[in-house]
Structures are given as structure tokens and as C-alpha cells.
Amino acid sequence: MHNLLVAALAIQASALDPLAARLAAHKVLRETGKETPAALLARHTTSLDEREKRFAADLVEKCHRHAAEIDALLDEACDKRPRGSTLQILRLGVAQLLYFDSIPNRAAVDTSVQLCKKRGGNPGLTNAVLRRLSRETPSIQETKPPLYDLLVKDRGAELADRYLEACRKRPGM
């Protein structure tokens, strides 16, 4: 019986905290401009395991890389753009909805609401906006970056498709 209890506690202790990487990513987004994202990630992910560090880095990268698309969706979904922690957490939530197929929409919404409660954001607004977007927002495979249609018109579909492929590739950090 004792061995089972020890094994259960070990498994529980090794389970990933669903908020840990998101908290680190939130801190990086909040402090962007003070240091490079790589330096901020290194500082804010020291207590995370490798998987959580990669997830935090991916979240930050997606938020930065797709900032215009994310903010355009938020502007459509909100009467007035939120500020501070709520805005950063909404950006993280939208990034998860759009660019992380492995994360169920309900998990992206729930963890964003939890993060708001921890970081002083507006959990009610976050819940409402992300639930709405989770029902209405297409997946990454259906979305196109802002310049895509202009490139098709101006330079043709082949170049636009190469641009789209490049936008979807993960850059090295």
C-alpha cells in the first residue's frame, strides 16, 4: 500500500501545471520591450521543465509573429480594446485557439480565465471573448495573413502560397 501511495504522489508531482508555461509567457509579453523575448523567456522559465519551456516559447513566438491578426480579431470581438493583463491574456488565449491544434478550445478558454484570476485581469470579459471566438474563429489552416490577398492580386497565387507557407513555419529563436 505504501509503495502505491509513493508512486501516486510521484506521478502527481511530475504532472505539468497547466498554468506554469502560460504564466511565464504572460510575463514575457508584459515585459517585451525591456529585454529581448529570448532573455525574458530564459529568466521567466527557469523553474519549468523542458516541455513547459518549449510551450511558453511557442506561445510567445505565436503572439509576436501573429500580433496583427490576433489584435484584429480582438478588435472585432470587443467594443473597446482591453488593456494591461487582460489584453495580454486574451492574446495568449487567441494564439492557443488559432495556432495550437493540440489544445482543446475549452482548455484554452479555461486556462486563460484562470490566468486572469491570478494576474489581475478581467476573467468575465476574457471568458466571453474567448468563448465567442472559439465558436467563430477558423483554424490556422483556414486563416491567411493580412498580406496574402494583396500578394495574390499583385504577384500571383504561387508567390502568395510560398509566403503563406513561410508564415506558418516555426522560426528559430
Side-chain angles (χ1 to χ4, degrees):
M1 181 71 168
H2 177 71
N3 290 342
L4 285 175
L5 182 59
V6 170
L9 289 174
I11 290 170
Q12 186 178 11
S14 69
L16 299 178
D17 176 0
L19 287 183
R22 290 168 175 93
L23 278 165
H26 175 259
K27 289 175 184 176
V28 170
L29 290 182
R30 192 184 66 216
E31 296 175 20
T32 295
K34 296 177 183 175
E35 293 180 61
T36 65
L40 290 167
L41 276 165
R43 185 159 34 93
H44 291 301
T45 60
T46 55
S47 64
L48 303 181
D49 73 9
E50 287 306 310
R51 186 171 155 203
E52 290 171 319
K53 286 179 182 180
R54 279 193 309 274
F55 179 57
D58 285 347
L59 261 177
V60 169
E61 182 264 323
K62 297 291 190 230
C63 286
H64 283 298
R65 185 178 188 127
H66 300 285
E69 296 156 79
I70 291 169
D71 284 349
L73 283 170
L74 289 174
D75 287 342
E76 287 178 27
C78 301
D79 294 331
K80 188 172 97 176
R81 183 180 280 197
R83 297 166 42 113
S85 282
T86 302
L87 177 60
Q88 301 304 337
I89 292 167
L90 281 168
R91 286 175 174 156
L92 290 168
V94 172
Q96 291 172 78
L97 292 173
L98 282 179
Y99 308 110
F100 291 85
D101 291 334
S102 62
I103 299 174
N105 287 352
R106 68 185 180 287
V109 173
D110 183 58
T111 54
S112 296
V113 169
Q114 289 178 39
L115 195 55
C116 264
K117 290 176 181 176
K118 265 193 153 145
R119 303 302 302 170
N122 183 336
L125 176 68
T126 299
N127 185 52
V129 168
L130 292 179
R131 282 194 188 280
R132 179 176 163 210
L133 289 175
S134 72
R135 288 189 301 269
E136 299 173 2
T137 304
S139 75
I140 182 59
Q141 298 308 318
E142 299 168 26
T143 61
K144 306 278 192 271
L147 294 177
Y148 181 81
D149 293 331
L150 292 172
L151 277 173
V152 169
K153 213 186 269 185
D154 193 48
R155 301 285 175 100
E158 185 180 338
L159 179 65
D161 287 341
R162 286 198 330 247
Y163 167 70
L164 182 62
E165 187 178 318
C167 285
R168 291 183 177 156
K169 272 187 186 172
R170 183 171 188 262
M173 282 186 86

